Amino acid sequence: MDSALVESGERRIGWAARAMPVLTAIGARFAAERPLEGLRVAACLHVTAETAVLMGALKAGGAEIALAASNPLSTQDDVAAALADYGIAVHARAGVDRDAYYRHIHQALDIAPAVVLDDGCDLVNILHTERTELLDGVLGGCEETTTGIIRLRQMAAEEALRFPMVAVNDTRTKRMFDNRYGTGQSTVDGIMRATNTLLAGKTVVVAGFGYCGRGVAERARGLGARVVVTEIDPVKALDASLQGYDVRPMAGAAREGDVFVTVTGNRDVIRGEHLAVMKDGAILANAGHFDVEIDVRALDELAQAVHRGVRPNTDEYVLADGRRLLLLAEGRLVNLTAAEGHPAAVMDMSFSAQALAVAWLVRERPSGLEPGVYDVPEEVDVEVARLKLAAAGIEVDDLTPEQERYLHSWRAGS
Amino acid sequence: MDSALVESGERRIGWAARAMPVLTAIGARFAAERPLEGLRVAACLHVTAETAVLMGALKAGGAEIALAASNPLSTQDDVAAALADYGIAVHARAGVDRDAYYRHIHQALDIAPAVVLDDGCDLVNILHTERTELLDGVLGGCEETTTGIIRLRQMAAEEALRFPMVAVNDTRTKRMFDNRYGTGQSTVDGIMRATNTLLAGKTVVVAGFGYCGRGVAERARGLGARVVVTEIDPVKALDASLQGYDVRPMAGAAREGDVFVTVTGNRDVIRGEHLAVMKDGAILANAGHFDVEIDVRALDELAQAVHRGVRPNTDEYVLADGRRLLLLAEGRLVNLTAAEGHPAAVMDMSFSAQALAVAWLVRERPSGLEPGVYDVPEEVDVEVARLKLAAAGIEVDDLTPEQERYLHSWRAGS
Amino acid sequence: MDSALVESGERRIGWAARAMPVLTAIGARFAAERPLEGLRVAACLHVTAETAVLMGALKAGGAEIALAASNPLSTQDDVAAALADYGIAVHARAGVDRDAYYRHIHQALDIAPAVVLDDGCDLVNILHTERTELLDGVLGGCEETTTGIIRLRQMAAEEALRFPMVAVNDTRTKRMFDNRYGTGQSTVDGIMRATNTLLAGKTVVVAGFGYCGRGVAERARGLGARVVVTEIDPVKALDASLQGYDVRPMAGAAREGDVFVTVTGNRDVIRGEHLAVMKDGAILANAGHFDVEIDVRALDELAQAVHRGVRPNTDEYVLADGRRLLLLAEGRLVNLTAAEGHPAAVMDMSFSAQALAVAWLVRERPSGLEPGVYDVPEEVDVEVARLKLAAAGIEVDDLTPEQERYLHSWRAGS
Amino acid sequence: MDSALVESGERRIGWAARAMPVLTAIGARFAAERPLEGLRVAACLHVTAETAVLMGALKAGGAEIALAASNPLSTQDDVAAALADYGIAVHARAGVDRDAYYRHIHQALDIAPAVVLDDGCDLVNILHTERTELLDGVLGGCEETTTGIIRLRQMAAEEALRFPMVAVNDTRTKRMFDNRYGTGQSTVDGIMRATNTLLAGKTVVVAGFGYCGRGVAERARGLGARVVVTEIDPVKALDASLQGYDVRPMAGAAREGDVFVTVTGNRDVIRGEHLAVMKDGAILANAGHFDVEIDVRALDELAQAVHRGVRPNTDEYVLADGRRLLLLAEGRLVNLTAAEGHPAAVMDMSFSAQALAVAWLVRERPSGLEPGVYDVPEEVDVEVARLKLAAAGIEVDDLTPEQERYLHSWRAGS
């Protein structure tokens, strides 16, 4: 074990923990109550300092943990070292190839988990296809991302899902805060670190106006950009329009954009036909979970030359007509690769929901939850928000008894 | 019939219809297909030009209609005259007292409705308490407001509700657009018309951060105000805080505010204890459905003198210590009373959903819907948004076949 | 004298005075010190409640005043009646024609003024062309508008200006606050009162990005509009672009706009060639001083029919191809005609500067200021801001002695 | 010469040059016209890639250049190497101490300059105090910063300044764009890189509301922060208040802030008395030119322990009561130290003005400009903006002959 690496990882984790007062409080409660005593957990998450604080809380609660990385590029090796030193089985290393990525997931599954934590549904997918012998032992799990939920719901619809999964992504706290504020800030942060481009006055095209897209659009506008939104859902498109954004199809937006950010959960959002009409110097970034939103293969085919690393995490593709397109982070998550992912303050909320959801799964075990996708119980959500406000020193009003009565009585007239 | 009044009403309705292309298109389709042939409808809605366009669409579809006002102060008498001239039974007059208000609802119910349209649940309430003989004939109905939905859900929970009610308020189009953008703009509009106060630099306290409150907060901030939010829900409070608003209890906000807007759906949000500490010249406005959010009785008790109409829709309360508090619209809906309610463009969407929901109720009649509160079917919502975008000349992207497949396949890996 | 009218005017003035604590304080000081004893003042200003408070302060200081209206449409007759009752010679009536307008200015000049107050330079212009016999008696004056300053500087450049004029418009307080915040809010207010249109999601074209244009653009954006800016000055255009606005020539903007606001100080900003390509239902409003920014003659020529008053202050022009264009306030100042002009809180600052500038002119009389356009002395500006902050209960920092020294010493190194 | 370093520097300069189309165009013109043939230039500027593009343009124009660093922390060693390789005498190295810093300035002065370029006035100061033998040879110079201008004006007032200095900082393009947009973005960028803190929901205290402070406040708000402004100038304070910011003295703000940014041009803006009441975890950053705005000595005295580098460019000061304060970049310019300074797109404008101003000084030489502080000629400003708009593909309107006439005729009436 490289002790300098461990120390660096511990410092990083300590820094993150400061901005995670809610999860820290839950960890302290877990340490006292040991609600997860002996529980085997397999997790496939970004191996970052914030994840480490979650792992610490679960371990404090009594869990035994094996951790793989949910993305080959986001692993912080020093954090991995510190976690290993703390007694957690970590199967992750920055920059590994596809084979090693999947091998690591298998290694994490070797723990024969009772609970799984997933971020994009790869671990759950492998469990249902290549490691079916482990399925009977699984009590349930949590999924962190929109993309993962889509896949889980599809599995449930096909009756392929074999245990209950809590859609941590679908809590109000996760969707509003993590997706909107976390992805919003870290995506523009990643673009600035990679390119140092001035966003004021630039045209930023945001593909997708879900919670994440909304966050990116708000931050880009907040930095002075003119924002164009593309969508496929008429309701979201209308919402974007009513918030003053330009809304148009990608075919038109492609000609105008200085910076493009995909955040749709879908594939090939920026395709060859779009690349063909972009301006010289256009910057392409992806903030969606998988690296399929920008068709990098089409970009490779169009390019006469590729200059890797003209800036950190920035590759320049020179097209036949001389135009240069700049691809950030190889089309992978720009906020994790070029910046540091969600600020710890954001992860504090979604990981706290995750920790409480694991405890809830264990508590519900006797009643035997059916396989399917579950919402995080409302009270978990409210509890997380309440703890977060308390940590920030913000007070809210309480209902008076008359108000409580009023809200529950339909007989009061106008 | 006063023909000048009719003409004035028709001009107003014509103006509104221009900004309601979606409802106009639906009316044209209804006129061709007559899906509501012979249907008796009792409606309790604000008697405004936009409502008149909805009434016209339903009548074009074959319905027979009786209309009462959902608020004594919002009735536009010329619109009422024009509707009567058009063959709709209107029971409404501006400024009537409480007795006449309820008498009008009874008169509308005398039509023995198969479908009811409500805005605040008063008509449905009376139907269940004083006109129970009519209940068997009712196929179902629609409710327009948050307040009404709260009352209906309570009735449903107590098994008191006797027919299906569609929660038009809960569609995405209604909540996002009507509540947020419509209430937002019309509330600040009402405050400006009543007081002509400069909002830039003022502290505006918004009580409640639901969709309506968010809209008011955004518009107040957009006009240069510093906005303070009060809430009882920790999740909404946290959201407000992450959007950069000051969040605090009303006890503290009361000392700071130059303008107060209540929009909570609850009562006594501003009480005597708050009035007691407000600044000289503070402006009090309510944008919630009922006139119970500001405790006007407490204000009356504190006041040594009241000067009515110091500005349009503005009453000045002089307290014992010389401070003057300004109550707008007697604590009733400031956006309807001091301004003109939601712009027609907004009502276009919620009233289109209302029209399509009535047609849906009729289509579902054979299958016999259970009593309860129903969401507007998702396709109605999407249809409304699609028509609205088309009217605004805005295009969205379509999924490619590959994208369609991708979204439906959980087997695709990272 | 119509006493009901007087009373209504007094109530209006009283309301305005509340929001004008700075001018009220100056009036009290003037009443004690009588710095304007016996001074004859001819004023050509919008005859509104806020102007009345200024007239009151000057009269309290000892001045004898004759007042004409600077715009035939903005006169509030009740305020005029109240001022007359208070002993000020008022020559103004709402809605008079061009002849009466000029006759009124002549009548005000009949007082043989020592000081003139102008708003658009018409009074000063007449003084230099038709009433030259009065020139020798004039000590100096103040001009309130950008338009007026342009004309005065031109006169000064041609050596035609015969006395000193203080450019009240050019103080920081006037430009930043009155132009930007006052015109901004009152312009969108006027558009909403006239049309009740939903601004969210609309494309608002703002012609001119001076202080006024910036204010209008900010408020339109703050109400959810997508804002397009047109300019002739590259520096201002670049600034607009860096603030995230779309910048383009009017030829292009004309095709996109739902609402147009001219605020350039120039003529024919919207011409026949632009009207020819606008969308059906486009709304045209002017917020510049003179009614020359929209070429109304061209609009008249293009129109097949004109429907006056389809909404308050809204005329509909039907073009040959069926498109309908809506002209607000006949192309005159929309914020004064369709709304109530600047909120009193804004006028408090510019009128306070005006009052202090008059006192300064009187004080400087012995030293004999040369003819020319003068800036308001910096200390007047700071004094107004300081009084305004005090009224709002806002404190600022003071320099420590070390800081004072630091700012004055160039020898301190890095 | 380390060729890898040179290559890295060239890549960096090439990247910057892409975002500097205006300066590139001027460089091409200079190469053709050689307006600076044989001119000796001594520059004291941040040794960054953008500065290198300016040096290249001047050298292309015929100048002979010696360059020292204006800040020991901002030097990019690879850029210095590339410049040296290109034939420019560079006296700079990252991280040198105070002695070396001043020695480098002396070395640059050894060229016996005809023109000086300064950034903070240190070089000009030394010239007037320690190298007076060189004064007679100096034709004039340019100063880039607000701080430097303050010092120069003071020198001019004391008649100590011996040659003309162009206040490049005071052009509209520099003040509006570089100060506001450049400092704004790069400061929040620096804070995010140093701390990865979530700004949404945080209270950010901005000390100073000049152009730079305004930029920082806008960006912080745009990232979701609640912004508190402190000021000493009542007019700026009022402006901040009317833009919806909380304005208060530092004594009060100190208790509330999560993040502090000083950008005043003054010293000791955050003092011991403020540090004593701050919240645990408060972040302190300076974006003013000199490292005197935060009283680091007071912080050192209050601290029981200091942990350097808990994050990049972040030192933690632990106070006696356990509170931890985080000082970024040792109190030096956070945007240059923790991020990469102004984006090249911004520097393009101020450095283009700089290049054109040098050419203007040379052209004006025969007429012998008096010593003093000069504004950049208006046409330079307009030329820079025009070139910038052209590079961005943005068109503006041209005046018609009628409009031109209208603006120049004061006789046109209302």
Side-chain angles (χ1 to χ4, degrees), chain A residues 15 18 181 185 189 192-193 195-200 219 222-224 310-311 316 324 326 340 343 346, chain D residues 15 18 181 185 189 192-193 195-200 219 222-224 310-311 316 324 326 340 343 346:
Chain A
W15 179 265
R18 284 181 198 206
Y181 304 111
Q185 174 170 318
D189 187 8
M192 289 192 290
R193 293 195 201 196
T195 66
N196 202 36
T197 200
L198 180 73
L199 288 171
R219 291 306 163 245
L223 286 160
V310 291
R311 284 267 312 175
E316 179 183 73
R324 294 160 300 184
L326 299 159
E340 302 174 56
V346 168
Chain D
W15 178 265
R18 283 181 199 205
Y181 303 111
Q185 174 171 317
D189 187 7
M192 289 192 290
R193 294 195 201 196
T195 65
N196 202 36
T197 200
L198 180 74
L199 288 171
R219 292 305 164 245
L223 286 160
V310 291
R311 284 270 311 177
E316 180 184 71
R324 295 161 299 184
L326 299 159
E340 302 174 55
V346 167

Side-chain angles (χ1 to χ4, degrees), chain D residues 344-357:
Chain D
V346 167
M347 300 312 295
D348 191 26
M349 289 185 283
S350 49
F351 280 172
S352 291
Q354 191 111 239
L356 294 177

Side-chain angles (χ1 to χ4, degrees), chain C residues 414, chain D residues 41-47 51 55 65-72 91-92 101-102 104-106 108-109 115-126 142-145 289 351 354:
Chain C
S414 70
Chain D
V41 174
C44 179
L45 299 168
H46 297 286
V47 179
T51 296
M55 296 297 102
I65 306 170
L67 172 65
S70 62
N71 188 302
H91 309 283
Y101 170 72
Y102 285 110
H104 286 152
I105 293 177
H106 277 280
L109 285 171
V115 163
V116 294
L117 305 181
D118 212 350
D119 180 292
C121 200
D122 275 359
L123 182 143
V124 170
N125 189 10
I126 288 170
C142 296
E143 166 60 44
E144 181 73 9
T145 65
H289 185 77
F351 280 172
Q354 191 111 239

Side-chain angles (χ1 to χ4, degrees), chain B residues 377-388:
Chain B
E378 171 74 8
E379 64 267 26
V380 164
D381 223 16
V382 171
E383 180 64 12
V384 169
R386 195 180 299 280
L387 288 168
K388 192 76 183 175

